[in-house]
Amino acid sequence: MAHGTTAADEVAAAHRALAAAGQADMVWGHAAVRDPEGRGLWTKASGWGLEEITPERVVLLSDDGEVLAGDGPRHIEFHIHAALMRARPDVGATVHTHAEATVAFAALGVPLRPLSHDAVPFLAPDVVRFTGTSDLVATRALGDALATAIGTANGCLIPGHGMVTVGPDVATAVMHAALLERACRIQLSAGGGGGPVVWSSDADVAAKRRNLWTAAQLAAGYDYLVRTADRRFGDAAHGTDVHGG
Ligand SMILES: [Zn+2]
């Protein structure tokens, strides 16, 4: 597995891992990695699906969206990533997707409950929701407002739109996206059965917050998603043709 050798490799692997986690919405949604040399952020070029991203299909953007390296247009919503990286020195990677379960769950307008391990990183005590707009986060001001709403949290739902997650590294940001989507999907499933009525106690949640999602567990889950992407979509890191899956 040759992911993670450069920022371009790392951000390409992040997109493919998100596809393996079921976060695709055709060509929309993107991850970003902070440039280790301080020039801005690496993200995908627009026009490609998550699983189609190779190191050749990523761009280095300045804080105000200038394409500094790579080919292809940038996404309009790069402001989400730029704002979070300005606001959060602890954040090294960010994810924005339109994962279906997060959109459906946010539309219910009910608290996210700890029905499984997946919700734990987001409960303080409920998941944050950015309600400034459900339109595109297409300006610096909207990006900043979203970053303010997230505060120190690991992510947020954007009702009517999608979700955002962050992490100190790409493995954590992608795993946070996978966990938030699963948490929403599980609660939707329970709702379909008339629930939920039973969930983890506050004490259990506090213990789980310490015990569950260690850096090692997050890295193990992320590595699994990268391997899954390589099997499902072809091993882009080794030049195999990308094909549908
Ligand atoms: Zn979006």
Side-chain angles (χ1 to χ4, degrees), residues 136-159:
L136 295 174
V137 181
T139 65
R140 186 181 178 100
L142 281 170
D144 287 341
L146 186 147
T148 299
I150 288 187
T152 60
N154 289 321
C156 72
L157 300 176
I158 311 176

Side-chain angles (χ1 to χ4, degrees), residues 25 28-30 75 77 80 96-98 134-137 158 161-164:
D25 172 16
W28 298 284
H30 24 83
H75 279 277
E77 294 191 298
I80 293 171
H96 166 57
T97 73
H98 303 163
S134 64
D135 194 1
L136 295 174
V137 181
I158 311 176
H161 181 171
M163 58 97 151
V164 172

Side-chain angles (χ1 to χ4, degrees), residues 14 18 55 61 68 121 208 215 229:
L18 286 165
L61 301 182
L68 301 176
K208 287 181 172 194

